[in-house]
Amino acid sequence: MTLQFLKEPQNELEREITFQGDSAIYYSYYKDMLRAPSFERGVYELIHNNKTVSLKTINAVQQMSLYPELIASVLYQATGSNEIIEPVYFYIGIVFGLQGIYVTALFVTSWLMSGTWLAGMLTVAWFIINRVDTTRIEYSIPLRENWALPYFACQVAALTGYLKSNLNTYGERFCYLLMSASTYTFMMMWEYSHYLLFLQAISLFLLDSFSLEQSDKVHEVYKTYIFSLFLGYLLQFENSALLVSPLLSLVVALVLIKCLQLNVKKGTFVAKIMKVINFYLVCTLTVTLNIIMKTFVPHKENGHMLKFLEVKFGLNMTKNFTMNWLLCQKFLQAPSQDLFLRLTQSSLLPFYILVLIICFLSMMQVILRRINGKSLKETVTLEDGRIGERPEIIYHVIHTILLGSLAMVLEGLKYLWTPYVCMLAASGVCSPELWTTLFKWLRLRTVHPVLLAFILSMAVPTIIGLSLWKEFFPRLMTELTELQEFYDPDTVELMTWIKRQAPVAAVFAGSPQLMGVIKLCTGWMVTSLPLYSDDDLLKRNENIYQIYSKRSAEDIYKILTSYKANYLIVEDAICNEVGTMRGCRVKDLLDIANGHVVCEEGGKLTYSKYGRFCHEVKINYSPYVNYFTRVYWNRSYFVYKINTVISFQS
């Protein structure tokens, strides 16, 4: 376990290098806001930022979703914290505070579903024990998801309360207002939030199809989506991605179909036919509206992500470096068996599967009754043993199945799924209604099912809690006592050299991950950034990575000078990488893209007469010395000044 910043490092530089890759970029803009003479000036410079990437002016607020950094900088200045606490600790404190809200929201959701605080406690215990799979807060603090998901958890908690059938008017109004506010805030914090809300909208659409009693409430939620999308579009600099999002197309289609629905008597044959027709119309109209929006609304949607999905599911093959590099990233691969092993060892997965099966089967009973024309009971009592008739249960079952299906494809999505696995499993085992449903199916006669359900709803979570305490609490305390601070002396030396020796106007080229650290620690301009939502930056990353390919010194020189780079940094870890996954080293992917190796049967091989650039440039012989002069090196990094060359000679 590695939690940074818990021990006092020697200086600010040693603290900042703990931020890696895109995390470094986010925190660097927080620093820029604090240095600005005024908030307005700081925002203006971020919107018209031309001091980060060479030859490129970017709207950093929109492109990188920097609203968390804007809010954090305002709070830091407004509360007078600059006289009490250092900026980095204030920033980290906010993120960890949001994680507290995250866990609290899961606690409340579980309590609302089960009716007992014991479920909330078990949810928190499972969340903490499985923190490797529930959150990335320990390793990548400034990530957008760490800022956004707590608000989504609040939205889910409010939605759960709003969907409950026995809620009074004031409680319903409070839940709706909280849901509306958290939906909009969540959308502002994360550029991919509308995709997660799209899955939620699908869940509510299916709930509406199965439980007509909640139709009005569900359509009120749709209005919240539309309002949040519209307001987000205006305040995110007319972000066209929100207009072409599948969420907007789906919600508009649902609202239109709702307006066109005929008042047909429930349970009749015509009503059943209309239900099927409505379902078909919603699907067709959603796709049609999305195509129309993408046709008429100028947008820069992540086309490379669609290509990635094609390659991911075997619909296409490619030699493209960026696509293959993304496929090699762990968070974009299918989850390993270790995930299921960890969840099983903490007893979470077995109980989740048990709860999900019971709730799903009970929900299917409800659907069959509806198809057969039987009306549902207005009030479901504990003795009825029909947990699947509760609308909030139906919603959570559908939602967790959708999230789980995606998590089985991409491991990075497990951080969306596993927190709700904790919540659903805990609320299930602590709910007498779930056990009563099970006993009704088993036709238990020896003991009264309701009495036994109450006993098990308290005994099972108590036994689980005691076993978790015995097995995991000592391990957790041991990890806390063995906290280690991330420290990289080679990177500290490199940053120190740049700040002392490099000209202020210098532009650095190297791997995107290192460029993020350079931008944070020194403020110098770079040629690329570790961001993968911009096509131009992706192309830059691929071109700069050519320093690890089998290309000539002249080719590399032309690439670097086209971006006005003055210094080149070669990382030994990439140049001499020994990858555990076959074919996923950067140099292997470059060789495939450049045709220097055959990656598939029938592929063409292009022989390269040049050695690998990152190796050859270290030898200091012609023609490399004509273009590059080594000015600094240590165990991990080699820095070369890019010379001014008048002409090229073969």
Side-chain angles (χ1 to χ4, degrees), residues 61-182:
V61 177
Q62 179 187 14
Q63 194 163 341
M64 303 177 194
S65 300
L66 295 181
Y67 298 97
E69 282 66 35
L70 298 183
I71 295 172
S73 63
V74 168
L75 291 176
Y76 186 73
Q77 302 283 8
T79 57
S81 300
N82 52 338
E83 300 177 359
I84 304 172
I85 188 173
E86 294 185 48
V88 63
Y89 295 115
F90 184 83
Y91 184 90
I92 294 170
I94 292 179
V95 182
F96 274 92
L98 286 173
Q99 292 301 300
I101 295 175
Y102 192 179
V103 175
T104 302
L106 293 174
F107 179 98
V108 172
T109 306
S110 188
W111 191 343
L112 287 172
M113 292 177 64
S114 64
T116 173
W117 59 268
L118 196 59
M121 296 297 294
L122 186 56
T123 300
V124 174
W126 266 329
F127 183 92
I128 295 174
I129 289 170
N130 295 282
R131 64 192 177 282
V132 174
D133 301 306
T134 56
T135 178
R136 288 197 281 182
I137 186 67
E138 291 183 358
Y139 306 101
S140 301
I141 293 174
L143 287 182
R144 302 300 84 180
E145 64 189 58
N146 292 335
W147 288 88
L149 290 181
Y151 295 103
F152 182 65
C154 291
Q155 192 256 17
V156 170
L159 178 60
T160 302
Y162 184 65
L163 291 175
K164 289 178 72 70
S165 302
N166 57 351
L167 197 66
N168 59 46
T169 304
Y170 294 105
E172 187 174 299
R173 189 174 302 170
F174 171 77
C175 287
Y176 182 77
L177 292 175
L178 177 59
M179 179 185 60
S180 302
S182 52

Side-chain angles (χ1 to χ4, degrees), residues 338-359:
D338 293 341
L339 168 63
F340 306 106
L341 181 61
R342 289 192 298 268
L343 297 182
T344 302
Q345 287 176 339
S346 64
S347 72
L348 173 59
L349 189 59
F351 283 105
Y352 167 73
I353 293 174
L354 173 66
V355 171
L356 182 62
I357 289 175
I358 295 174
C359 292

Side-chain angles (χ1 to χ4, degrees), residues 226-390:
I226 295 177
F227 175 76
S228 298
L229 285 167
F230 176 72
L231 194 59
Y233 170 76
L234 295 179
L235 297 183
Q236 290 184 4
F237 308 94
E238 298 182 356
N239 185 6
S240 58
L242 296 180
L243 295 183
V244 300
S245 69
L247 173 63
L248 180 61
S249 301
L250 174 62
V251 173
V252 171
L254 289 168
V255 172
L256 289 175
I257 297 300
K258 175 70 173 179
C259 295
L260 296 175
Q261 276 183 345
L262 300 175
N263 291 323
V264 181
K265 187 177 180 180
K266 299 176 184 179
T268 64
F269 177 76
V270 177
K272 296 174 184 178
I273 296 298
M274 288 299 300
K275 207 64 173 169
V276 176
I277 293 175
N278 286 338
F279 190 88
Y280 171 77
L281 288 176
V282 168
C283 297
T284 305
L285 189 56
T286 298
V287 175
T288 304
L289 287 174
N290 195 249
I291 293 174
I292 293 174
M293 293 298 289
K294 289 183 177 180
T295 302
F296 292 99
V297 176
H299 65 282
K300 295 181 180 179
E301 197 181 24
N302 301 331
H304 61 278
M305 292 306 296
L306 297 177
K307 296 177 183 177
F308 163 78
L309 292 175
E310 290 180 1
V311 178
K312 173 73 176 178
F313 294 110
L315 302 177
N316 196 0
M317 294 291 293
T318 182
K319 294 182 179 179
N320 181 269
F321 170 80
T322 300
M323 290 298 104
N324 289 326
W325 185 84
L326 287 172
L327 283 170
C328 285
Q329 301 307 300
K330 183 179 179 182
F331 65 93
L332 291 178
Q333 295 176 358
S336 64
Q337 294 181 354
D338 293 341
L339 168 63
F340 306 106
L341 181 61
R342 289 192 298 268
L343 297 182
T344 302
Q345 287 176 339
S346 64
S347 72
L348 173 59
L349 189 59
F351 283 105
Y352 167 73
I353 293 174
L354 173 66
V355 171
L356 182 62
I357 289 175
I358 295 174
C359 292
F360 180 78
L361 292 178
S362 181
M363 184 184 76
M364 294 306 295
Q365 282 186 329
V366 174
I367 297 172
L368 291 175
R369 290 194 190 99
R370 175 69 58 163
I371 293 175
N372 293 330
K374 297 179 181 179
S375 60
L376 303 181
K377 296 183 64 173
E378 292 185 3
T379 303
V380 180
T381 62
L382 180 60
E383 290 78 5
D384 293 327
R386 296 182 182 179
I387 193 171
E389 288 192 11
R390 291 169 52 188

Side-chain angles (χ1 to χ4, degrees), residues 459-483:
V460 172
T462 302
I463 294 172
I464 294 174
L466 292 175
S467 63
L468 293 178
W469 177 276
K470 181 179 179 180
E471 181 176 356
F472 291 96
F473 182 73
R475 189 184 307 176
L476 178 63
M477 296 307 297
T478 302
E479 291 175 351
L480 289 174
T481 57
E482 294 178 354
L483 286 176

